[in-house]
Amino acid sequence: MCIRVHAVAFAVASLLLTLTPSLTAGIPWQACDTTRNYTANSTYGGNLRLVAAALPSNVSKSPTLFAKALIGTAPNIVYALGQCNGDQSTSACHDCISSSFDAAQKLCPGNNGAAIFYDTCLLGFSDQDFLSFTTNSEDQEVQLYNVQNITSDSTDGFNAAVFELFNVMAEYVATTNSTMKFVTGAIGFDATYPNIYGSSSCTPDLSPWECRGCLVTTIYQMPYTFIPNTKGARIGGLRCTMRYEVYRFYNGSIMLQLPGIQAGKKSNETKQGITMVPHSTNANDERWFLRYRPKVLAIVLLTMVPLVASMAFCLCCCWRRRTKGNSPQSLAYHMEDIESIESLVIGLPTLRIATDNFAENNKLGEGGFGAVYKGSLPNGQVIAVKRLSQNSRQGIGELKNELTLIAMLQHKNLVRLVGVCLQEQEKILVYEYLPNKSLDTFLFDSEKRKDLEWATRFTIIKGVARGVQYLHEDSRLKVVHRDLKASNILLDADMNPKISDFGLARLFGGEQSQVTTNQVAGTYGYMAPEYALRGKYSIKSDIYSFGVLVLEIITGRRNSDSYYSDQAVDLPSLIWEHWTMKTITDMIDPCLRSDSSWDEILRCVHIGLCCVQEDHVDRPTISSISIMLDSNTIPSQAPSRPAFYIMSGNDVGSGMYSQSYPRVINESTPKLTVVTPNELSMTDPEPR
């Protein structure tokens, strides 16, 4: 089965709930996929009942107290997994999984997907294939913490002790020969709290690298998720869980007993590489967070190694499936072009010197994640330094996503990753520097646009198409970028394009063709209608964005202007109107009207209109687009009217030079108005 390393397909909403000790016994926490529903008499409902009847016994009888299930045929397949904690008896495990199905029917009635978390077991099911997913994502997790803080004179070392316990448990679960992949532990603290108790687990089907990557990523989240010094907290997902309390919450013996960090002795803490610094998240809430010193940096870097390794294994599996019988490529072969994460590490002092301590005059641009600076390494290499803002929680996930993706994607039309810095509280990605910055700085500037003759613009269009084709079809991963736009197309010294900003990109695996998400993040004006309105994205969503980009390159006009001004018609609709009236030459950038390559220009208009059609099925694939661009062929089918939608007030944007905010899709989300350019009745003209 091909391993996927992207967000799970069904929309399991992330929860942040309070937890008190009196509530820790037998209260389930649910995460429901409300985007698709089934009825009791449906085929899917029948398949789900079969899973509910079989899975409790399969889990409880398994030596690892874990089992997966797959019943039915598309589109009514039920994918499910269940797991009990390693300290549970067979009968208790059976009852817990059974209760989880009952809870799902009450808490997520009729929903095609649900995840149920009890203290002693977990259950997940969906009509989307999440069984090959190997790490938790925000979609899969429940995040719970105790609202009470510890009452002790020795609070300074509490978080450091928790971190130490978690790290040792993660190492134990991932590296021991135990098939259960479950551990309990405790670390000594002080007289008030003699022990801090913890437990950690992975699903037993994960490899040691995959398990370690999932757990360390979870540890990495904790300082950004919970109030420090809280008496207890957990992050639970369908692939790994971590929990600690100041009381013993598990059955059986303590498997790992740590002597602990001497609380309150800052000199000892500093020698161990962990110090505490004040960090304020708002004006009235002074909180204390772990400051990552060299030891913690090394631990965080270990997060990347298993992720890269698991992705390499994914490549092997997916490549084997795609080649359908060709000689399988070895894991070592796929690892050859993936640099060790250690070789990508660049020290923070080096980057401070390279950017003159992130000087304002070195700033290239700024987005929702933070700022980008120009710098120069000691060897003379010029770099672009993407520095995550410490106040951006959203950017943390995007940065990790971008790092794990771009490190494995190598193509001349994709921006190249030079290094990474995760030292102290900094989170920085370092890229090759491209002197001509981004396409929008030329395309939408009245003077610079004159330097973009048609030959250069056509080269840019073809280069972007080659980059997208690599992402969609030619790489060993199937990647949907989700944020193709002019500001994310960078230009080298020869004006060759390179696609950048993979913070919103997602992997597709196997036969997966479309995913639905409850959180839409991207840039309006470039977002396909099915994604902006219903949260559905696929490779055809990128095709829509590519089509908008092509039309912008031809006209020199920014489509997103229509969403932030009184402009009545968006760019695709305006071009469609001129196309059908045979006045398309009026829409061509005046800088190009003396150009003799009218056949290429009109062919690109035709291709662009085919890409922005409302029905994603009608849009061409990127490989067919590349063929049309490299030859004199045009689309065999005339384009239909593009979708024109006026956004409600909460517009979003993302990318290197604009703010990025997710938009949650639910039943209360305002519907977006679909109108014709003149807001009168719709009449379909005969396209040329």
Side-chain angles (χ1 to χ4, degrees), residues 162-224:
V162 170
F163 190 93
E164 184 77 9
L165 175 62
F166 276 172
N167 183 62
V168 173
M169 289 194 302
E171 188 69 27
Y172 179 90
V173 171
T175 59
T176 61
N177 293 325
S178 170
T179 57
M180 190 73 73
K181 285 194 170 60
F182 173 81
V183 65
T184 59
I187 187 169
F189 185 54
D190 66 3
T192 307
Y193 303 101
N195 273 312
I196 303 170
Y197 298 91
S199 70
S200 177
S201 67
C202 291
T203 54
D205 59 329
L206 295 184
S207 70
W209 281 355
E210 292 163 351
C211 176
R212 177 65 170 159
C214 185
L215 290 173
V216 177
T217 302
T218 301
I219 296 172
Y220 184 56
Q221 284 180 257
M222 290 238 173
Y224 301 95

Side-chain angles (χ1 to χ4, degrees), residues 521-589:
T523 305
Y524 286 144
Y526 294 89
M527 295 166 64
E530 69 275 7
Y531 181 43
L533 294 168
R534 297 182 293 278
K536 297 180 182 293
Y537 66 88
S538 65
I539 58 174
K540 292 299 185 74
S541 306
D542 280 354
I543 297 299
Y544 183 94
S545 304
F546 175 79
V548 173
L549 180 62
V550 169
L551 297 179
E552 288 183 334
I553 291 173
I554 294 170
T555 62
R557 302 189 185 193
R558 191 194 302 267
N559 182 43
S560 57
D561 287 346
S562 61
Y563 303 104
Y564 302 97
S565 67
D566 295 330
Q567 183 174 324
V569 182
D570 66 332
L571 183 62
S573 296
L574 189 60
I575 292 177
W576 166 262
E577 188 173 316
H578 282 275
W579 179 263
T580 56
M581 295 172 62
K582 298 181 173 33
T583 57
I584 190 60
T585 54
D586 295 343
M587 288 298 297
I588 306 302
D589 189 338

Side-chain angles (χ1 to χ4, degrees), residues 210-347:
E210 292 163 351
C211 176
R212 177 65 170 159
C214 185
L215 290 173
V216 177
T217 302
T218 301
I219 296 172
Y220 184 56
Q221 284 180 257
M222 290 238 173
Y224 301 95
T225 306
F226 302 126
I227 300 173
N229 297 325
T230 182
K231 285 186 175 181
R234 77 177 79 174
I235 293 182
L238 293 180
R239 282 309 188 183
C240 67
T241 61
M242 303 210 76
R243 178 184 180 186
Y244 79 89
E245 306 284 353
V246 294
Y247 65 92
R248 186 163 173 171
F249 59 89
Y250 46 76
N251 299 324
S253 61
I254 298 174
M255 300 168 66
L256 293 174
Q257 177 67 62
L258 281 68
I261 297 174
Q262 293 183 3
K265 296 190 177 181
K266 296 180 181 179
S267 60
N268 287 346
E269 292 171 8
T270 302
K271 288 178 182 178
Q272 295 191 42
I274 300 175
T275 60
M276 307 298 294
V277 296
H279 177 82
S280 178
T281 54
N282 59 58
N284 300 315
D285 186 14
E286 190 74 12
R287 300 179 179 181
W288 291 75
F289 282 85
L290 288 172
R291 183 179 182 183
Y292 294 106
R293 287 295 191 184
K295 177 182 177 182
V296 183
L297 170 62
I299 293 170
V300 172
L301 290 179
L302 287 176
T303 305
M304 302 306 172
V305 175
L307 286 178
V308 171
S310 63
M311 288 181 182
F313 184 66
C314 167
L315 302 182
C316 182
C317 296
C318 293
W319 187 255
R320 186 178 295 116
R321 170 178 284 189
R322 288 180 63 185
T323 51
K324 296 182 179 179
N326 292 345
S327 299
Q329 306 298 313
S330 67
L331 179 60
Y333 172 84
H334 292 297
M335 288 294 289
E336 284 178 359
D337 59 353
I338 301 175
E339 295 181 28
S340 166
I341 193 65
E342 293 182 3
S343 68
L344 294 176
V345 174
I346 300 177

Side-chain angles (χ1 to χ4, degrees), residues 638-654:
S640 59
R641 179 192 301 276
F644 174 46
Y645 47 93
I646 300 175
M647 307 314 304
S648 58
N650 297 327
D651 292 338
V652 299
S654 78

Side-chain angles (χ1 to χ4, degrees), residues 46-57 71 97-98 101-102 105:
N47 290 336
L48 185 57
R49 286 191 293 273
L50 293 176
V51 172
L55 196 61
S57 294
I71 292 180
I97 298 297
S98 227
F101 276 108
D102 294 338
Q105 302 310 308

